Amino acid sequence: MACYPVPVPQVSKSIRFAIIGPGRAAARFAHGLQAVENTSLAAIWGRNSDRARAFAGKFSDPIVAPTLNDLLSSNIDAVYIATHPDTHAEFCLQALAAGIHVLCEKPAALNVCQLQTVLSAARRHDRLFMEAMKPPFFPLYQRLRRHLESDPIGLIGFVRAGHCDSSIGPDYPLHFAELGGGGIMGIGPYEAFLALDWLGPLKRVQTMGRLNSEGVDNFAIFQTEHERGLAQLHTGIDLLSHGDALLSGPGGYVLLRANWWNPSYATVHYLDGRIVEIDSPYTGSGFNYETTHFCDLIRQDLRESPVIPHALSLGMARLLEEARVALGVHFPAETKIDDRHPFDKATGLDTGGFIPGNDLHPGHPHDSHLGSYYGTAPSLVQAVLDRWLETPDRLFVENYTFIDFGSGKGRVVLIASKLPFRKCIGVELNPDLNAIAADNFARWQQSGNPRSPLEAVCQDALAFEFPPGPCLVYLFNPFPSQVLAHLIDRIAEAFAGRPGQLDLLYVNAEFKDLLDQHQGFTPLWQMPVTMSAEDAAADLLHQVDASGRKPYAEDSQDPCVAWRFTGSTNVTPA
């Protein structure tokens, strides 16, 4: 366990903020902003103009923009979005498109799909996006981390946290599905953060609870399993409970006093009987700490927080979505979950969708070579693997490492892992797609489906170091010809002077001539593969580009070719 790496504070640049949504959270943000050096509240917009003007009068009279477009075109550097969750993604996308940095109140979106869209937009428009999650920035939380490093209780293996608030009135937004309400969405983000922060990525969620007449959860208890332990969390809006938290390790435990999400006091209880009290009061509204961090990121021209990274926000979104969907909570404003690819419906994973290449630029020098994301049809993957298994003179499957270059969300790797490969690796340049793949792999591993270990590697394919032993490389036409040519040369260089077989499978082999003409590769076989009727229907439904619906393979068929690196001249394919 280590303290968070944080930007070095800088205050040279003055940062002008705007607020979207003049509610309670906005008031706490505006109050906290007064304690952040060299910042100002420049503008505000809300659908209720009278309320916006009343709000502005309490905070040095910022400009009240008549429309959202007027706000986003004004002289501002960043925006704090404090509306109800049903509009978070919409307003984030508009602000990012206007070239404005975004700090969005939690939860940052209604579901994982919406958040992925926001994160892609942040990368495309080269703007900072951060979900507002204040606890880790409080002095107490940071002091506790430092204390547990110097006087540890061991690796935290259990987290317990929860809060119920029955004092909220019947008109409070958390009671209504159309606003993204319910205890899981209104209170649960804090619990989700605490569990993920101390226990690592999520493996699975088990949920029980009950709904109100509006279809949102009045009370929920959800138990979660993570890479490093378990958590027991609860939320509610019709019961009352104490908002404290417990962190448990083999050598002791930590009690965070209520309300733990505004932490100011903790006690560490050690196995040897010692009790250490940590008391760190906070100043301002508490929002000032995360806002200071956000401003430091802007001043250092960074696009992601190391404390609340995009992968953590995706993890929180997934935990909340799985917990509420298990209870039957669905929101009118979210993407229908039943619109997922059939493979995702069957597995509960996220491998579908079409993402244009322009939305996938992570700021890498090779961005211009990125193509669009669209997962290979499962029936094509299976057919190609089945054909490879019939290839003469191949070694036992257990000897091979399977490698998918341009692996995206990892669908091919997931399917390949049903064979007993030595290991299955997905190599993906885009960090958002790679984070989704890593999450998919963890959940797939937990399901017991794979017969081989899985690994998601976020790296340029041309920099990938091949593992020892035989390898099976898979390509779903991931690169333009010039990049593919370099990759072929890299493979030849890596395997020219080492033992171990290298086979290569190329689906939708648009540039097969590059391999045909290479003296080091011998063709094994080639065949057209027809996808299943289910996958063909999914192509028609799920791949949408700027010109409208457009299936990847209109005739539901792909040319698939296999080669083996032999270092010899080409021979006639079987």
Side-chain angles (χ1 to χ4, degrees):
M1 180 175 60
C3 290
Y4 300 116
V6 294
V8 177
Q10 296 183 6
V11 294
S12 58
K13 173 181 169 60
S14 178
I15 297 176
R16 294 167 57 86
F17 275 92
I19 289 176
I20 297 176
R24 300 182 185 183
R28 291 194 292 271
F29 171 82
H31 178 65
L33 191 64
Q34 296 172 346
V36 180
E37 188 175 353
N38 214 10
T39 64
S40 62
L41 178 57
I44 185 165
W45 174 81
R47 288 193 171 120
N48 186 320
S49 57
D50 290 338
R51 186 177 182 186
R53 281 191 291 271
F55 183 97
K58 299 176 182 178
F59 296 100
S60 303
D61 287 318
I63 294 171
V64 178
T67 69
L68 179 58
N69 285 338
D70 289 326
L71 180 88
L72 297 179
S73 60
S74 62
N75 183 23
I76 59 173
D77 303 294
V79 64
Y80 171 68
I81 297 174
T83 55
H84 303 310
D86 64 308
T87 55
H88 282 179
E90 171 192 351
F91 292 147
C92 285
L93 292 172
Q94 291 186 57
L96 291 167
I100 296 168
H101 303 295
V102 173
L103 177 64
C104 182
E105 189 51 54
K106 51 80 186 168
L110 289 179
N111 55 37
V112 172
C113 182
Q114 284 189 357
L115 183 57
Q116 289 169 350
T117 303
V118 170
L119 296 179
S120 293
R123 292 192 179 278
R124 182 169 71 255
H125 297 294
D126 192 29
R127 290 293 151 235
L128 169 64
F129 172 85
M130 187 179 111
E131 184 171 10
M133 179 56 62
K134 57 184 178 178
F137 303 101
F138 274 62
L140 182 282
Y141 203 92
Q142 296 189 4
R143 184 177 167 191
L144 173 64
R145 277 200 172 275
R146 291 193 297 269
H147 175 81
L148 292 180
E149 283 192 334
S150 62
D151 194 355
I153 60 173
L155 200 63
I156 302 298
F158 175 69
V159 170
R160 187 205 70 218
H163 177 55
C164 295
D165 187 355
S166 58
S167 69
I168 61 176
D171 295 332
Y172 199 80
L174 290 186
H175 290 295
F176 302 101
E178 62 268 25
L179 299 177
I184 291 175
M185 296 295 280
I187 300 171
Y190 288 129
E191 277 69 57
F193 161 76
L194 193 69
L196 290 163
D197 195 38
W198 292 93
L199 301 175
L202 181 69
K203 287 186 173 181
R204 59 174 174 162
V205 183
Q206 294 179 328
T207 312
M208 295 185 293
R210 47 186 169 76
L211 310 184
N212 66 9
S213 60
E214 299 292 328
V216 299
D217 52 294
N218 267 344
F219 178 79
I221 181 168
F222 36 109
Q223 301 182 114
T224 59
E225 182 180 4
H226 301 256
E227 281 191 356
R228 299 191 297 272
L230 303 168
Q232 188 176 60
L233 314 169
H234 75 267
T235 65
I237 55 177
D238 68 349
L239 297 175
L240 188 64
S241 72
H242 201 50
D244 59 353
L246 167 73
L247 312 174
S248 179
Y253 63 91
V254 177
L255 289 175
L256 289 162
R257 187 171 65 185
N259 290 328
W260 79 261
W261 53 90
N262 292 322
S264 62
Y265 184 79
T267 55
V268 185
H269 299 251
Y270 287 90
L271 187 63
D272 60 12
R274 289 182 298 125
I275 298 177
V276 176
E277 297 182 350
I278 304 175
D279 188 1
S280 293
Y282 61 89
T283 60
S285 66
F287 281 49
N288 40 300
Y289 300 111
E290 67 179 355
T291 306
T292 297
H293 173 78
F294 184 78
C295 291
D296 289 340
L297 295 172
I298 293 175
R299 291 176 178 127
Q300 294 199 19
D301 204 29
L302 299 177
R303 297 297 181 256
E304 184 174 357
S305 166
V307 181
I308 308 294
H310 295 167
L312 177 58
S313 288
L314 284 167
M316 291 188 285
R318 179 196 153 200
L319 192 159
L320 300 175
E321 183 175 354
E322 289 198 15
R324 65 173 175 79
V325 169
L327 296 181
V329 178
H330 301 282
F331 302 130
E334 69 178 332
T335 302
K336 293 182 180 178
I337 293 172
D338 285 343
D339 283 348
R340 294 177 298 174
H341 190 282
F343 180 83
D344 294 350
K345 291 182 184 179
T347 61
L349 303 176
D350 172 22
T351 68
F354 175 83
I355 305 175
N358 289 338
D359 291 354
L360 294 174
H361 289 179
H364 192 276
H366 291 168
D367 277 356
S368 60
H369 301 306
L370 283 172
S372 300
Y373 169 75
Y374 190 62
T376 316
S379 53
L380 291 181
V381 182
Q382 195 61 59
V384 171
L385 288 173
D386 288 344
R387 179 66 180 86
W388 175 75
L389 291 173
E390 299 172 358
T391 302
D393 301 324
R394 68 165 178 82
L395 306 174
F396 290 115
V397 174
E398 291 83 352
N399 293 319
Y400 289 88
T401 298
F402 180 90
I403 305 164
D404 178 14
F405 285 111
S407 53
K409 297 182 181 180
R411 182 188 290 169
V412 170
V413 178
L414 294 164
I415 295 170
S417 72
K418 291 189 286 186
L419 292 171
F421 286 106
R422 185 178 184 182
K423 192 173 190 178
C424 289
I425 301 173
V427 181
E428 172 57 48
L429 182 64
N430 183 274
D432 291 338
L433 291 179
N434 189 72
I436 296 168
D439 184 58
N440 284 330
F441 293 173
R443 297 161 71 184
W444 190 241
Q445 198 79 52
Q446 181 64 28
S447 71
N449 283 300
R451 298 171 65 190
S452 57
L454 302 101
E455 182 181 3
V457 176
C458 188
Q459 190 178 37
D460 186 340
L462 299 180
F464 180 76
E465 295 292 334
F466 286 88
C471 293
L472 176 61
V473 169
Y474 179 93
L475 303 172
F476 178 40
N477 200 32
F479 310 119
S481 59
Q482 63 269 37
V483 178
L484 182 60
H486 286 304
L487 179 61
I488 293 169
D489 288 340
R490 283 268 300 143
I491 293 172
E493 179 184 357
F495 283 83
R498 54 172 271 188
Q501 195 176 86
L502 183 287
D503 285 356
L504 188 148
L505 306 177
Y506 190 3
V507 176
N508 185 29
E510 182 178 354
F511 306 115
K512 67 182 290 292
D513 59 305
L514 294 174
L515 284 148
D516 287 336
Q517 296 166 10
H518 197 289
Q519 295 300 302
F521 287 85
T522 299
L524 297 174
W525 46 262
Q526 59 183 1
M527 65 177 187
V529 178
T530 301
M531 70 176 71
S532 68
E534 180 182 56
D535 283 343
D539 258 8
L540 288 166
L541 176 64
H542 293 280
Q543 181 175 355
V544 182
D545 62 15
S547 64
R549 297 195 183 283
K550 181 180 178 182
Y552 163 68
E554 294 183 1
D555 59 359
S556 302
Q557 195 173 82
D558 267 312
C560 302
V561 192
W563 288 267
R564 177 167 295 159
F565 180 75
T566 60
S568 64
T569 58
N570 293 353
V571 297
T572 303

